[in-house]
Amino acid sequence: MFDYIRLHQLNIMLVLSSICVLLAFFACITKSITRKKRAGLFLTEISAAIMLFADRLAYIYRGDTSELGWFMVRFSNFTVFFFTLFILLSFNLYLEDLFITNSNGKSIPKRLYAVSILVVLGMLILIISQFTGWYYFFDSTNHYQRGPFFIISYVVPLASLFIQLSSIFDLYSSLSRVIRTSLVFFTVIPIIASIAQIFVYGISLTNISIVGTAVLLYIFALIDINNTAERATKLEMEYLKKSQQSSQRLFEQTATALVNAIDAKDKYTHGHSSRVAEYSRKIAEIYGKSEQECREIYYAALLHDVGKIGIPKEIINKEGMLTKEEYEVIKQHPVVGKQILSSISEYPYLSICANHHHERYDGKGYPEKLKGEDIPEIARIVAVADAYDAMTSKRSYRDPIPQQKVREEFVKGAGIQFDPEFSKIMLHLIDLDSEYEMKEKADVKELAGKNELECKKYRDTVSEGIVVTPFITRIHLKSVPLPEGNNRSRVCLPSLVLFDSLDGRIHLDEKLKKELNYCEYGQFRFDGAYVNSELRKIQLKKTENPEAFQNTPNEYDLEFVKFRDHMLLKIQSQAQTITFTIAFQDSSRYAYLSLTGESCFISGVEIYKEEKMIDPSYIPRIAEEISYIDVPEGDIPNIQIEGYRSAFSQSIPFTDEMQISFHSKSLPTARLVWHCPFVVLYTSDDQTVNGPGYREFALIRFDGENWESDDSVENQMIVNKNDAFTGWDVWKVMNRIGFDCTVSFKRKGNVLTVFTENGGISIKNITTLDQSVKNVYVTLTGDQCAITNIRIKK
């Protein structure tokens, strides 16, 4: 290794000295350190550069007997010894600054002052040795030779380094790891090199090591500056984050306080603002808003009704409908809300939303009668969410409107009362809400609103309906006779009412029955007695239970499940298991079970739902399946669609130009505007819906709705209602009677065009695919309709 250094040491010296000059320049212009530390680093680096460059010259001119060589050898060697000592003085400045800035009140050790005195003394001895030859002399060939007291030239630097090292240990614990490392390197490495230099001749180990550690000193100081800056930045960011969080908490608490004030004033809209805020955020997320925009929309929706604080309480909580004058007072709450929130200048969207959330898309809203996109976007979003929650919540003058009826209102109101784009997103949210979670929540869930049932007379108390699905539902409950019911004239047992209604509740009022399409199928008592009202067939089976059956007296386990037009109901008590197999009149209607009874108290209700759909064979068939498609077929089989997209036609390849014609008729249970045919455009590896590689490009409903299922495609739907469209009620009648339909399909490259017109509703949908899609297929589906005589013309 020494041979390698000896061979290349001139180049090493040049490189290191050049680096030191560069570092001296950077040290001079660095503003992020104290003046004294900057001076110490600058002097250390520039001294190291001069010393090592002079050492390089000494090696270059040794043995040169010319006049220049004679001078350069003597000058360069003196410079090497002198600046070696000067580097120690410069390093002393650096250490003194560290003590000032990092010693926590400690004074600069006197040892460092002793180092300065010792170094100055060493410089004087060096000057004297130039005339006495104590340290070195030059022979007749102009070569450097060690003098008799050469060892003394090492005593002063080594002693200084040891003293500086001892001072460093005083400060060691208060320094960063990076600075500690650089200081130890700067003191220890030259000491080791100096000891080795005594035994090695012809290599400037000491000088190279001093310069090398000087370079490291600056680099490590720079790293420490960066680390300190990062820590400061991190602390500042944490402070700012905490400050923002504190401001956000204060804002949230203020908003919550205002919302609570509104809720306290209006007993019929408790939780309304929170639900509207959540629905608004969901709409914004699906629309593609950023996280920050969604947050703004959430809080704007949360405070949209703050103006109700300024409306008299007797008007807000009035039982029944408002008078015209009272309604005019209510209509002032957007303006009051704007006045309250306009003072929050940092969040101007709050007052904008409060002022405009009752504007209508057709310009017939209030307070400013803005129209279309003149209404601020945030208000158009909140208007949709606000209307949805208003319709699905209980009011003083009505019960909640069933979700399907609400959905129909959005279909009818799109482009009239509501922004069509945001109305479309709300329709999508309703479709996704299969469990009807988007509503005003009841206090207790297990009995759909009732924790306990005290049934005196038969059906004087009933629970809300529990929907019967193709997923098994199990209920465990306790029932005990009421004291006044312990006589032979009464049956002290629970019963179940099987029914269908748009709102999932039992109704006795004839008007409500008609409005909500109420149908009562039958009643089933826990001892096996039953009443058949609207069912095709009921099959009863009773089985005695073993003595070891786990249920105690007065405890029951229920199990029920429905698949298409058949249902299985089991009632298990301590003594027996009662099984009802039920056949409905059709497959398309819903079914709900409501718990009631006579002279009994029902409690301890626990409900469990399976997550896996039953196999069709789980329920034994007791009646023939009802078909509305038992008519001649066209080019492909007819389809009967009993629920939303519950059946699909055979796939049809989408060609460059073709027509599909068919006859459509809604099922007897159909009652809503979207109970009509749909067209689906898709691709899959095996041509089937939901098959391998399935991608759905467009869902086109004949009532004018559409939804894109694949983000990689673009759909543009143009819907026009011409003079032949006379209203949605007529549209529903047309579907019930049945109509012939023709759908045109054209493909040009990756652009698909679908056109149809039915009942005055003209639909043109343009789908732009990505270039990777080659094969596209068409299938017919719908909701509660029968599609027959399907003809394909290419």
Side-chain angles (χ1 to χ4, degrees), residues 74-87:
R74 284 158 180 75
F75 176 77
S76 59
N77 276 281
F78 173 78
T79 302
V80 169
F81 279 86
F82 181 83
F83 276 97
T84 299
L85 295 171
F86 193 82
I87 288 171

Side-chain angles (χ1 to χ4, degrees), residues 564 586-589 625-631 637-649 662-680 699-703 731-741 758 779-790:
R564 302 193 68 178
D586 53 67
S587 303
S588 54
R589 295 201 68 153
E625 187 171 3
I626 294 177
S627 174
Y628 297 99
I629 56 174
D630 191 14
V631 295
N638 302 330
I639 53 170
Q640 181 170 311
I641 309 153
E642 296 167 342
Y644 178 73
R645 297 181 63 173
S646 61
F648 297 88
S649 74
F662 56 86
H663 182 80
S664 174
K665 182 178 181 180
S666 58
L667 301 183
T669 53
R671 52 193 177 268
L672 300 167
V673 297
W674 63 88
H675 289 162
C676 62
F678 306 162
V679 171
V680 178
L699 169 64
I700 305 163
R701 309 187 194 198
F702 282 27
D703 62 343
W731 163 261
K732 288 189 282 187
V733 170
M734 182 191 78
N735 277 272
R736 281 198 293 269
I737 296 171
F739 64 97
D740 293 321
C741 173
N758 307 283
T779 186
L780 302 177
T781 183
D783 193 353
Q784 295 200 33
C785 62
I787 298 176
T788 57
N789 194 27
I790 304 170

Side-chain angles (χ1 to χ4, degrees), residues 343-394:
S343 60
I344 309 177
S345 56
E346 193 171 346
Y347 305 117
Y349 55 86
L350 297 177
S351 60
I352 291 172
C353 179
N355 190 45
H356 296 295
H357 72 277
H358 277 295
E359 302 287 357
R360 286 172 54 108
Y361 201 74
D362 59 4
K364 296 180 180 179
Y366 61 89
E368 297 179 14
K369 298 189 181 301
L370 298 181
K371 185 177 182 180
E373 295 190 2
D374 291 339
I375 305 168
E377 184 181 69
I378 194 169
R380 282 181 274 142
I381 292 173
V382 174
V384 169
D386 183 38
Y388 175 85
D389 189 70
M391 286 187 280
T392 57
S393 300
K394 182 178 176 61

